[in-house]
Amino acid sequence: MTEDQATKSTTSRLPGFFTANRVPRLLGNLTYLIGLLDLLTGLLHSWRVRLHNLTEVLPGALSAAAAAATVVSGILLIVLGHSLKRRKIRAWRAATALLAISAGLHLVKFEPVAATMACAGLTLLLLYRNEFRALGDPSTRWRAVRAGAVLFAVSVVAGGSVLWLNRHDIRGGWPGVTPVAEEILFGLVGANGPLTFTRDRAGDIVGSLLLGLGLMTILTTVYLALRPPEPRPELTDADATRLRQLMARHADSLAYFNTRRDKSVIWSPTGKSAIAYRVVSGVMLASGDPLGDPEAWPGSIKAFLEEAAAHAWTPAVLGCSEQAGTRWVRETGFAALELGDEAVVQTAHFSLEGRPMRNVRQMVGRIARAGYAVEVCRVRDVPQSVRDRAMRDAAAWRSTDTERGFSMALGRLLDESDPDCVFVAARHDGIVRAFLQFVPWGTDGMSLDVMRRDSTADAGVNELMIVEALKAAPDLGVERVSLNFAAFRSALERGEKLGAGPVLRVWRRILLLASRWLQIESLYRFNAKFQPTWQPRFLVYPTASDLPRVGLAALEAEAFLAWPRLGRLGGAR
C-alpha cells in the first residue's frame, strides 16, 4: 500500500468532517484548546484560586509539582498547535509524547475525564500520523538547544538577582542555595516554591518576573525548534550554467535575475524547466516565470509544490507574467493578484518625435547642452578603473542602507560573470554622475537592473541615459527593452479617469499617499514618458488566508521589510 493509499484508508475510518486536508488544522486547534486548559488550570492553582470542582474536568492536579508540569505542558501544546497545523513531523512526535505522559499521570491519579481527553487526542494523532510528514532542518534543532541553554542560564541568574533584591521580605531571612534554586525553578513555570514573603507585593513581583522569564525561555526555545526551516539559498555553478542554457532558448524579461546567488533552483524531472526561489518566513517564494520550455512548466511546478509540502512551506509566486500566472492557476487552483505592469519599449518603434515625446525631448536636449555625455557598452568592455569607481558610487548613491531587490534585481554590478550585461554611464566634465545596468533578455532584449544617480546631478540625466540606451540598442542587437516595474499602474491610471468608481478612487488615493514613502506614482510617471507597452505582473498565492503572510514575505524578500532576527540567539544564520 502506498503512502497516499494509507492516508485515504485512514480517512475512511473516521467521521466525514475529518477530511484529509482538514485533519492537521482540526488537530492543531484541539491541541490549542488542551494547552490553554492546561495553562489556565496550572496558573489558577499557583494563584491559590480554589476550583476543586473543575479539577476533575480540566487537565491538572493540585500539587505544586503537578501544577508546574501542567503549565509547561500547556505552553508547549499551545506552541505545538501551530506546527501541527503545518504538518510538522517534529511537532507530531512532541505532541504524542506529551499526551501519552499526560494520559498516564491522569490514570494514576484516578482522573478519568482528563485521561479520556488525553487519550482521545493521542489516538487521533496516531491514527492520522501520515498527515504529518513535513521535514525539519537539523540545524534548527541545535540552534534551539543553544538558545534554550543560554536563555535558561540568563533566567536563573536574573531570578536569583530578583530574590536577592527582595531578600529582606523573605520570611525567615535568606534561606540558602537549595530553597532559592527550588523557588526559581518553580517560579519559572508559574508554580509556588518553598519561600514565603512578609509582603504580598514582594511575592507578586517575584512571581510575575520569574513567570515572565520562564515564558520567554520556553516560547523562544520551542519557536526556534519548530519554525519552518529556511535553508541558506545558494545558486551552484552547475545550476547557473544550466539556467543560462535554458534562457538562451526560452527567456522571460525577468529570467536573468534568477541567476542571483541568493536563490535556490528546483528542476523538473526532465531538466527542461526550472523554478528559482527563496524561502522567506516559511513562504517558498518563486521568482518570476518558470524557466525553460512552457510545455515543461507543469513538471517544475509539481516539483516546486512537492518541495513546499515536504517542508510545510507556503508556496507562492512573485512577479510572474500573465502566461505563467495562467498556467500556475490552472495547475494548482491558486489565486492570482495583479501587482502592476512592466514597461517594455520596442526599439524599432522608439522615437523622440511627436507631441507625446515633447517633454522628454526638451529635457534630454537641455541635459545634453549642459555638457552631459553618455557611453553605452557591454560589461565585458568596461575598464577596471570604471568598475571600481562605479562600485563605490553605487553604494554612496543608494537611497537606503539595504540593497533592495529579489525578483527584479540581479544583486551584483559589473560582475565578470555577466559579460553580456549593458552598462550606460553619464559623464559631466569627465566624471561619471549616473549610470544604468541592463541584464540580457534572451538573445534580442535587455531588462533594466540598476539605476544610480548622484544627488547633485542635474534632473533629467536618467531620461538622457534611457534615451541613449534605446538609440544604441539596434547596434547591440537589442530589439526590446524592459524598463522599471510600475506597481498598481492600472489603478493609478484608471482611478483618475472620468467614470472611475468610488472604490477605485479611494484605492488610488491610498496609493498616492503611500507614494510619499514608496516610489509608486513616480515610477509609473517616469515609465510612461517613453510610451511603452504595459505587460502585467502577478502574485500567485494558495488562498485568501495565506495572502497577508505571502505579502509580508514578498516585502521581506524585496528588502522593504527587515525583521529582528530572533534566530541569532542560537547562533549565526
Side-chain angles (χ1 to χ4, degrees), residues 36-85:
L36 180 61
L37 293 178
D38 277 356
L39 182 61
L40 289 176
T41 304
L43 292 179
L44 287 174
H45 170 69
S46 66
W47 293 337
R48 295 183 174 86
V49 177
R50 305 300 184 181
L51 298 176
H52 298 285
N53 294 332
L54 292 179
T55 58
E56 186 62 25
V57 178
L58 305 180
L62 293 179
S63 68
T70 300
V71 171
V72 174
S73 174
I75 294 172
L76 292 175
L77 287 174
I78 289 174
V79 179
L80 285 171
H82 177 70
S83 296
L84 287 174
K85 288 184 176 183

Side-chain angles (χ1 to χ4, degrees), residues 428-450:
H428 186 257
D429 294 334
I431 300 175
V432 174
R433 305 299 301 278
F435 60 82
L436 310 175
Q437 178 174 273
F438 291 86
V439 300
W441 174 6
T443 58
D444 61 353
M446 60 184 188
S447 297
L448 180 60
D449 172 33
V450 176

